[in-house]
Amino acid sequence: MAKVVALTYKGLEIIVDRLRGLGSEPKYAHWGEGGDIPAAATDLDLVEPRAEARVAGVSSKQTTAVTGDTYQVVATLTAEDTPAEITEFGLFDSASGGRLFLRATFDPINVSVGDSVQFTVIVVGQEG
């Protein structure tokens, strides 16, 4: 479970662009080892991103309180070259470069080469 999750200012920009019919969906997942720095709205990237490529997650519209109020992305990342102590996760609007939609930090997840971790991101709209 994430300790700190921040929808970034760039994430808000992505939402506005999407409402205007512009930009790309923030479904590209990446992980890193920089979780000692809490997630913040001002984040532009992961602190210590891993060398693996970003992975396109599978997005869907879900219902939490009212029909269609929840955006969900499920993505599986795999450690390819070196073991790691994963402590951060982010969603981006591009497979490379692009804008960071949100960043989460959490207690370490230790992975060996070949290990995979599935992340599920749930963004719920709130009533007034």
Side-chain angles (χ1 to χ4, degrees):
M1 188 66 125
K3 291 172 87 173
V4 179
V5 177
L7 177 64
T8 67
Y9 293 143
K10 290 296 180 182
L12 294 173
E13 184 179 286
I14 290 168
I15 291 169
V16 170
D17 283 351
R18 299 291 289 169
L19 288 170
R20 297 181 60 232
L22 305 171
S24 299
E25 183 180 0
K27 65 178 184 176
Y28 298 93
H30 202 36
W31 58 3
E33 301 176 82
D36 57 330
I37 298 173
T42 54
D43 290 340
L44 298 174
D45 200 351
L46 298 177
V47 174
E48 291 183 38
R50 293 272 299 167
E52 294 91 5
R54 291 180 191 164
V55 172
V58 176
S59 68
S60 62
K61 182 170 69 171
Q62 302 289 319
T63 297
T64 298
V66 297
T67 303
D69 65 348
T70 303
Y71 176 70
Q72 178 175 293
V73 177
V74 178
T76 301
L77 293 158
T78 303
E80 293 177 0
D81 295 324
T82 60
E85 186 174 86
I86 304 300
T87 55
E88 63 178 338
F89 172 86
L91 275 184
F92 296 81
D93 67 348
S94 176
S96 63
R99 299 173 290 182
L100 177 64
F101 179 69
L102 64 78
R103 179 173 170 254
T105 58
F106 40 83
D107 292 332
I109 300 170
N110 292 305
V111 295
S112 298
V113 173
D115 286 351
S116 296
V117 177
Q118 183 179 72
F119 293 89
T120 301
V121 177
I122 300 169
V123 180
V124 181
Q126 295 291 322
E127 287 189 68

